């Protein structure tokens, strides 16, 4: 298990930020933080933001016919709206609405963390989740500035409030569509083997994930960002396969 230290040093892009842009909650009309953080929120550098917008526009322009077809299929298979909306914790602990293709049956209830074999997930939903195609609508979140391409996992509000206090600093950063913990953390099968999925996630997996993300966030250069995007692509086409997570 990787250890995590909360007294980390800020990367160059984390310093000397305008007070209104450093803290999303400082903007008029924006909600307050739902997860208290010890310091202002950290926005991506201008270069990373330019990359975010460029990639999001390019991908959406290329895949919109596929996007529409999936929307129809998701609606038919789940019995609800094609796009699932959920409050997630954003930069500075301020919540935002995350978009995904719906993969679960409408009205199904269960834990916040989804483990393999979860009966709430439809057959199409399982395929979308396995290939991460269900996350394509998050490109809209990237365009809106809610998310960035590479960053920490966008956590649900319910789980974020239960994070260990020493790890909540991760919510200073703008969440990403992909990132070290989302590529390297092969924990799906482990979740399917434990009784209390949420407790295991918070006590075992979260410290591991935060430690991996911090390795990137300490120095999130444009070069490293592009490298993580390339690693994500290799992961999605099954060229790169990270090692399974082992507790302890």
């Amino acid at each position: 298990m990787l250890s995590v230290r909360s007294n980390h040093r800020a990367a160059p892009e984390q310093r000397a930020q305008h007070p209104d842009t450093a803290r999303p909650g400082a903007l008029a009309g924006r909600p307050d933080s739902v997860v208290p953080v010890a310091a202002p929120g950290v926005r991506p550098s201008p270069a990373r933001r330019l990359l975010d917008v460029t990639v999001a526009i390019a991908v959406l322009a290329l895949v919109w016919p596929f996007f529409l077809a999936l929307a129809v299929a998701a609606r038919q298979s789940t019995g609800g709206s094609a796009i699932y909306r959920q409050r997630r914790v954003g930069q500075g602990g301020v919540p935002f609405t995350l978009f995904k293709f719906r993969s679960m049956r409408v009205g199904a209830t269960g834990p916040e963390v989804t483990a393999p074999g979860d009966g709430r997930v439809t057959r199409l939903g399982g395929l979308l989740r396995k290939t991460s195609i269900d996350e394509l609508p998050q490109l809209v979140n990237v365009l809106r500035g809610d998310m960035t391409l590479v960053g920490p996992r966008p956590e649900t509000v319910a789980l974020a409030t239960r994070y260990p206090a020493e790890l909540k600093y991760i919510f200073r950063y703008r969440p990403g569509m992909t990132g070290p913990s989302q590529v390297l953390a092969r924990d799906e099968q482990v979740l399917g083997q434990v009784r209390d999925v949420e407790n295991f996630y918070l006590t075992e997996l979260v410290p591991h994930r935060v430690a991996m993300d911090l390795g990137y966030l300490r120095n999130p250069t444009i070069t490293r960002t592009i490298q993580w995007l390339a690693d994500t692509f290799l992961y999605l086409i099954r060229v790169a396969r990270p090692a399974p997570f082992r507790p302890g």
Side-chain angles (χ1 to χ4, degrees), residues 130-141:
K130 185 176 181 180
T131 57
S132 297
I133 292 176
D134 64 319
E135 298 178 1
L136 274 179
Q138 291 172 30
L139 288 168
V140 176
N141 288 119

Side-chain angles (χ1 to χ4, degrees), residues 152-191:
R153 171 185 170 82
E155 192 60 89
T156 66
V157 174
L159 285 173
T161 56
R162 296 168 58 191
Y163 266 44
E166 68 274 14
L167 300 181
K168 287 185 177 179
Y169 66 83
I170 196 68
F171 300 121
R172 291 182 60 201
Y173 302 92
R174 188 171 299 182
M177 285 189 68
T178 187
S181 68
Q182 300 179 63
V183 173
L184 299 179
R186 292 284 294 160
D187 47 37
E188 296 90 350
Q189 296 304 318
V190 176
L191 287 173

Side-chain angles (χ1 to χ4, degrees), residues 172-245:
R172 291 182 60 201
Y173 302 92
R174 188 171 299 182
M177 285 189 68
T178 187
S181 68
Q182 300 179 63
V183 173
L184 299 179
R186 292 284 294 160
D187 47 37
E188 296 90 350
Q189 296 304 318
V190 176
L191 287 173
Q193 300 169 7
V194 297
R195 290 186 176 180
D196 190 336
V197 175
E198 290 186 5
N199 181 67
F200 182 83
Y201 175 79
L202 290 166
T203 59
E204 295 285 347
L205 299 185
V206 165
H208 184 57
R209 285 171 172 255
V210 169
M212 287 190 290
D213 285 332
L214 184 58
Y216 164 75
L217 294 169
R218 281 193 177 116
N219 186 28
T221 64
I222 194 70
T223 300
R224 297 185 70 200
T225 300
I226 293 173
Q227 182 61 58
W228 275 113
L229 292 175
D231 288 345
T232 300
F233 175 74
L234 294 176
Y235 168 75
L236 291 176
I237 63 175
R238 302 299 190 265
V239 172
R241 302 301 295 172
F245 173 79

Side-chain angles (χ1 to χ4, degrees), residues 1-14:
M1 177 70 68
L2 297 174
S3 62
V4 182
R5 297 177 60 185
S6 60
N7 57 340
H8 60 287
R9 297 182 62 185
E13 73 173 40
Q14 301 172 17

Side-chain angles (χ1 to χ4, degrees), residues 113-155:
V113 181
T114 307
D118 194 311
R120 296 172 294 173
V121 180
T122 65
R123 182 175 299 180
L124 174 62
L127 177 61
L128 295 180
R129 284 171 169 265
K130 185 176 181 180
T131 57
S132 297
I133 292 176
D134 64 319
E135 298 178 1
L136 274 179
Q138 291 172 30
L139 288 168
V140 176
N141 288 119
V142 172
L143 282 178
R144 286 161 49 109
D146 300 324
M147 296 176 65
T148 183
L149 290 174
V150 180
R153 171 185 170 82
E155 192 60 89

